[in-house]
Amino acid sequence: MAYEPPTHSVERSLRATTGAKIVVGIDEVGRGAWAGPVTVCAAVTGLRRPPIGLTDSKLLSPKKRTALARELNSWVTAHALGHSSPEEIDALGMTAALRLAATRALDTLPVRPDAVILDGKYDYLGAPWTVRTVIKGDQSCVSVAAASVIAKVRRDAMMAELGADHTDFCFEDNAGYPSPTHRAALRDLGPTPHHRLSWAYMDGLPRWRHLKRIRNTPEPVGLEDEGQLGFDF
């Protein structure tokens, strides 16, 4: 299936309206997973022509995504990754965990961006950054699309590594997201050290419900995640 390629229109607009010289695109992966970290990539691409086939990582096959990530690693001007662990997600909530992972990525970049493009509707980064949110930015903005692909491939590899010690959960296939195999393993074996224990899916596991962690700080309206909703096992 052919997709409309992303452009530099948002990057150019930010340069024109804010005077920014360095614009970074940010995207996350793992927000809706039940296990594993949430991963954020910050990518600076300049205004060069992007690699052929660049788009939202979710629209690419694993084979194409992996090949494109290898190309992007050397094509982007700069990029960095940041992660928040399941323990941090449980303690802080997803919004703060996203902010922490994004800050870690930005702090690791070899250049200091003047402006940030965030994929989605909500600004989870905030001051002191100049932020523009773009719905479906991972499809329309070159820098965000590049961040999307790099983040997805890296987190998938991390989950495959974690899955080596928890083979019944098939993390190499589901990357910690809900799947029939994942749900069955949770029901029979209980959560691993890599699971997010504050999420509502734990309420559907009577044998393991005593392990649930309670966090008193609710997510802002609109930033709740599918993984925090109840699930019928």
Side-chain angles (χ1 to χ4, degrees):
M1 182 181 295
Y3 302 102
E4 192 72 22
T7 70
H8 293 293
S9 61
V10 178
E11 289 89 342
R12 292 183 190 277
S13 173
L14 273 171
R15 288 178 175 226
T17 58
T18 69
K21 294 183 179 179
I22 299 176
V23 177
V24 65
I26 287 182
D27 198 15
E28 57 76 24
V29 64
R31 179 172 148 182
W34 287 357
V38 63
T39 295
V40 169
C41 180
V44 179
T45 62
L47 299 176
R48 294 174 295 155
R49 183 187 298 273
I52 295 173
L54 179 62
T55 188
D56 174 11
S57 64
K58 297 185 291 296
L59 302 179
L60 299 169
S61 69
K63 182 178 180 180
K64 288 183 178 180
R65 195 164 52 225
T66 300
L68 187 56
R70 283 196 294 266
E71 185 176 359
L72 287 169
N73 282 329
S74 58
W75 177 81
V76 297
T77 303
H79 78 281
L81 291 152
H83 313 277
S84 287
S85 68
E87 293 83 4
E88 290 170 327
I89 294 169
D90 284 335
L92 302 173
M94 182 53 72
T95 304
L98 281 169
R99 184 181 304 114
L100 179 61
T103 299
R104 286 169 172 164
L106 289 166
D107 286 347
T108 310
L109 272 177
V111 295
R112 173 79 177 184
D114 302 305
V116 176
I117 305 172
L118 274 185
D119 180 52
K121 182 178 180 180
Y122 298 97
D123 176 8
Y124 55 78
L125 190 57
W129 300 97
T130 298
V131 176
R132 180 173 296 181
T133 58
V134 179
I135 296 173
K136 295 190 181 299
D138 47 10
Q139 295 182 35
S140 61
C141 302
V142 169
S143 59
V144 179
S148 167
V149 172
I150 295 171
K152 172 65 174 169
V153 170
R154 178 60 190 132
R155 186 181 181 278
D156 281 358
M158 292 173 65
M159 292 306 299
E161 293 170 7
L162 294 178
D165 293 326
H166 305 281
T167 55
D168 291 292
F169 289 84
C170 295
F171 287 156
E172 70 278 9
D173 295 325
N174 59 53
Y177 285 85
S179 72
T181 302
H182 189 173
R183 294 195 296 270
L186 268 173
R187 184 183 61 244
D188 296 339
L189 303 174
T192 71
H194 310 298
H195 277 88
R196 303 167 187 181
L197 300 180
S198 63
W199 286 23
Y201 73 82
M202 290 291 294
D203 294 331
L205 298 169
R207 288 178 60 191
W208 315 105
R209 196 177 296 153
H210 63 285
L211 298 175
K212 184 176 180 180
R213 296 181 183 173
I214 304 300
R215 179 172 42 81
N216 295 322
T217 305
E219 294 288 349
V221 174
L223 285 177
E224 306 91 342
D225 295 287
E226 293 178 5
Q228 293 171 290
L229 303 177
F231 199 93
D232 183 6
F233 283 80

